[in-house]
Amino acid sequence: MTGANNNTKDRTSYDVIVIGGGAGGLNTALVLARARRTVAVVDAGEPRNAPSAHMHSFLSRDGVPPSTVLEIGREEIARYGAVRIEGRVDQVEAGEDGGYVVRLEGGATLDARHVVLATGLRDELPEIPGVRAMWGEDVHFCPYCHGFEVRDRPIVVLGVHPASPGQALLLRQWSPHIVYVPHSQPLTDEERERMDARGVEVVEGPVSTLLRKEGRLYAVELADGRTLECAGVFLFPTMTPNDGAFDGLGCERNEQGWLVTDPAGRTSRPGLWAVGNVVDSRAQAVTAAGMGAQAAFYLNHDLVDEEIERDLAAHRAATGRASQTPVPAS
């Protein structure tokens, strides 16, 4: 357990437990700790953007390594008394008092009035040699994160997902030299017409491997031996949310199986919240941080409302005043 102060080092019961120590989770903890809430962040140390050398489109942090942003965030939450616990959550369960029990891998348990899930998602990559090894370096998903770095240079888009054609059309914004290789995602006639209109070249044939030279990507090799030289490869991975900690709690999910939240981050079960990529696959780090801040604002107000009701009941009991709720006539 690290970053503890204000006599919270040995605490096992918190106002809020945040599961996940990325931008969304840390910003949630920062706002709540500054609101003088007792907060613990359970962090498995596996951020989605770890393979990337730099993060982009994050005001004041553009071009900074993701690890640096997390280190700064950990220092900031510790400054206000939030605790970071290095570990993994096995399950969240309903507590007997209306709160929640957070069970950690290894058997330890923590109690919380509210729990925020900020565990991100898993990018499931196609089994093409070279893709995994270069993921986050020369192979990317998000044009807004990495398109500028390969602007005006040759880019190959691999057709491995139903959204891949749209990704190729979007990337034309960054470079006039876009090649789409259908691979496992053939084009419809309408999609092919859009490619032609947008000036995106289509090269048929499955991909066999990605080629490196001096440690950097330089070409995509097709199954028939042809090579397409390029400065970057983009693909659309299959994304799976890391939301198993909430299994069994009855939270509403959409048709795709993702947790449903309101604009504040509340799930359908009171006291359970979710922010960042675990509910929004397209959220960048800066987006996740904003979602965390917003959830923290609303969560703190919910806690205040709970406390007012508790204090009001205690006050009435102490003063002998009955509830102000009108009694219906018989």
Side-chain angles (χ1 to χ4, degrees):
M1 187 177 294
T2 61
N5 55 29
N6 292 347
N7 298 318
T8 60
K9 183 176 181 181
D10 299 318
R11 180 188 295 274
T12 60
S13 183
Y14 297 87
D15 290 327
V16 184
I17 292 175
V18 179
I19 306 173
L26 290 175
N27 215 40
T28 303
L30 179 63
V31 174
L32 289 168
R34 283 179 50 81
R36 308 192 71 182
R37 295 298 178 183
T38 56
V39 184
V41 177
V42 182
D43 185 4
E46 298 174 349
R48 181 190 183 195
N49 60 2
S52 298
H54 305 94
M55 62 188 301
H56 294 284
S57 302
F58 197 135
L59 189 65
S60 83
R61 293 294 180 266
D62 187 76
V64 174
S67 59
T68 299
V69 174
L70 297 185
E71 289 169 7
I72 294 171
R74 292 165 185 168
E75 293 172 359
E76 289 177 345
I77 68 167
R79 188 185 308 159
Y80 297 102
V83 176
R84 176 174 172 264
I85 301 171
E86 295 180 5
R88 191 183 304 276
V89 172
D90 276 341
Q91 198 68 41
V92 177
E93 301 172 358
E96 295 180 359
D97 60 352
Y100 294 94
V101 176
V102 177
R103 298 192 180 279
L104 306 185
E105 192 174 77
T109 61
L110 305 170
D111 299 315
R113 297 167 64 186
H114 287 236
V115 177
V116 180
L117 193 64
T119 43
L121 56 77
R122 299 184 302 280
D123 290 309
E124 298 177 11
L125 304 176
E127 294 299 325
I128 298 173
V131 165
R132 191 170 301 278
M134 287 184 269
W135 183 244
E137 297 177 0
D138 295 313
V139 181
H140 304 290
F141 156 62
C142 177
Y144 296 98
C145 300
H146 304 289
F148 188 82
E149 282 60 49
V150 288
R151 64 195 182 280
D152 298 326
R153 301 171 70 189
I155 298 170
V156 173
V157 179
L158 304 185
V160 295
H161 188 279
S164 294
Q167 187 181 35
L169 294 169
L170 175 62
L171 275 158
R172 181 60 180 78
Q173 174 74 20
W174 281 266
S175 173
H177 311 294
I178 307 296
V179 175
Y180 179 76
V181 181
H183 192 65
S184 61
Q185 195 64 38
L187 293 170
T188 65
D189 291 342
E190 182 179 354
E191 289 170 338
R192 191 175 295 275
E193 184 181 26
R194 287 175 177 270
M195 296 288 185
D196 291 341
R198 187 73 165 156
V200 174
E201 182 182 0
V202 178
V203 176
E204 300 290 349
V207 175
S208 62
T209 188
L210 306 189
L211 301 175
R212 279 190 184 191
K213 182 184 296 183
E214 299 179 353
R216 299 303 301 265
L217 169 76
Y218 81 93
V220 172
E221 183 177 285
L222 304 182
D224 61 8
R226 288 177 294 162
T227 59
L228 304 171
E229 293 191 10
C230 58
V233 164
F234 281 76
L235 61 84
F236 207 110
T238 298
M239 303 175 192
T240 304
N242 295 317
D243 58 10
F246 279 7
D247 285 351
L249 289 169
C251 296
E252 181 184 355
R253 294 176 181 270
N254 63 21
E255 294 180 355
Q256 290 73 43
W258 290 60
L259 289 168
V260 173
T261 58
D262 72 5
R266 297 181 185 89
T267 70
S268 60
R269 178 158 185 149
L272 296 182
W273 306 67
V275 301
N277 281 150
V278 74
V279 289
D280 183 353
S281 64
R282 294 181 180 269
Q284 294 181 300
V286 67
T287 315
M291 293 170 73
Q294 177 160 273
F297 299 151
Y298 283 93
L299 193 161
N300 186 63
H301 279 273
D302 283 3
L303 288 175
V304 169
D305 289 343
E306 293 171 13
E307 290 159 359
I308 290 172
E309 289 302 312
R310 178 201 64 196
D311 294 344
L312 186 59
H315 174 72
R316 287 172 174 168
T319 58
R321 294 183 62 190
S323 169
Q324 299 302 302
T325 304
V327 177
S330 59

